[in-house]
Amino acid sequence: MPFGLKLRRTRRYNVLSKNCFVTRIRLLDSNVIECTLSVESTGQECLEAVAQRLELRETHYFGLWFLSKSQQARWVELEKPLKKHLDKFANEPLLFFGVMFYVPNVSWLQQEATRYQYYLQVKKDVLEGRLRCTLEQVIRLAGLAVQADFGDYHQFDSQDFLREYVLFPMDLALEEAVLEELTQKVAQEHKAHRTIKETVCTSAFSLWAFS
């Protein structure tokens, strides 16, 4: 190396670390992705990076939220620099992607990818008890969800896999015998949806959930 100059690799990485940061985003399917952003990047830029990975164009329906230091859910103010926003208010640099604005009817949604994300959000809201349903609605929705997520009934030798699949809202305290009976009703509902395409089921799920 000319003139005996010694370069320290650590200095290069320190410069990068001062200008960039990595944040994690939990998606609606529970997968977590990482985004490397500039310290000046806004929440909107982060949202657009997530949307690009999801091949999602209708970003105006969605947002990012985080848990505040008091453990309250709080939406990211998209026009502000994300890092400063998180440093000031967030409990940790973990973001959650979700639906921020709902439409009266899912037929308003133009993109299949948008309808799928809506389906994931609504299913999550049903299972976590934020969207209340009657038991009859829960069974109907569960049958649609199984068809959307796993395909036709006849592909399986038995419906035993449903026992490992979350079908009912978490706050339903069901005895084992009742749970088994309801699971069998979901299996029959699943059977009735044979050959219905995934995209139709996801839209139907959202429509039924809001009806």
Side-chain angles (χ1 to χ4, degrees):
M1 185 175 291
F3 310 113
L5 183 65
K6 294 183 179 180
L7 297 177
R8 296 176 60 189
R9 289 186 178 182
T10 53
R11 178 173 295 177
R12 178 186 173 194
Y13 290 107
N14 287 340
V15 170
L16 279 176
S17 66
K18 290 178 182 178
N19 292 296
C20 299
F21 74 105
V22 176
T23 189
R24 294 177 297 139
I25 302 102
R26 186 177 297 278
L27 305 177
L28 288 168
D29 61 3
S30 295
N31 284 322
V32 176
I33 62 173
E34 291 186 344
C35 282
T36 301
L37 301 164
S38 160
V39 293
E40 300 301 323
S41 295
T42 63
Q44 182 64 41
E45 289 175 279
C46 183
L47 178 61
E48 288 173 358
V50 174
Q52 186 176 18
R53 296 200 192 189
L54 296 175
E55 299 183 343
L56 191 65
R57 296 190 302 272
E58 296 174 286
T59 57
H60 47 283
Y61 295 119
F62 300 91
L64 300 167
W65 60 276
F66 59 88
L67 288 175
S68 69
K69 292 176 182 178
S70 59
Q71 295 298 301
Q72 299 297 311
R74 177 168 176 167
W75 289 103
V76 169
E77 296 179 37
L78 296 176
E79 73 281 2
K80 293 186 176 181
L82 181 61
K83 189 174 189 306
K84 291 180 182 178
H85 198 50
L86 294 178
D87 287 348
K88 186 175 182 180
F89 299 111
N91 183 52
E92 60 175 321
L94 173 65
L95 294 169
F96 299 84
F97 171 79
V99 175
M100 193 173 188
F101 300 107
Y102 288 89
V103 294
N105 193 313
V106 290
S107 64
W108 289 17
L109 306 175
Q110 299 299 308
Q111 193 188 4
E112 183 180 316
T114 310
R115 292 192 290 272
Y116 181 66
Q117 294 301 320
Y118 255 69
Y119 159 71
L120 292 176
Q121 179 71 75
V122 174
K123 183 171 74 167
K124 186 178 181 68
D125 289 346
V126 169
L127 293 178
E128 295 181 0
R130 288 188 294 274
L131 190 58
R132 296 291 177 178
C133 301
T134 65
L135 198 55
E136 182 181 345
Q137 285 176 315
V138 166
I139 293 169
R140 181 69 186 273
L141 291 171
L144 287 167
V146 174
Q147 178 69 18
D149 293 346
F150 296 101
D152 286 348
Y153 178 94
H154 74 274
Q155 295 184 70
F156 302 92
D157 294 332
S158 75
Q159 298 294 291
D160 289 346
F161 74 97
L162 293 180
R163 295 182 179 86
E164 306 299 322
Y165 183 62
V166 180
L167 298 169
F168 309 109
M170 296 176 183
D171 58 355
L172 277 183
L174 300 173
E175 295 180 359
E176 189 168 339
V178 175
L179 183 61
E180 180 63 28
E181 180 185 351
L182 293 179
T183 300
Q184 290 306 312
K185 288 183 178 181
V186 171
Q188 290 305 307
E189 191 72 31
H190 178 207
K191 187 176 182 179
H193 298 315
R194 181 178 177 181
T195 74
I196 298 179
K197 293 181 179 180
E198 173 192 337
T199 53
V200 176
C201 282
T202 55
S203 295
F205 185 103
S206 299
L207 283 168
W208 263 79
F210 284 117
S211 62

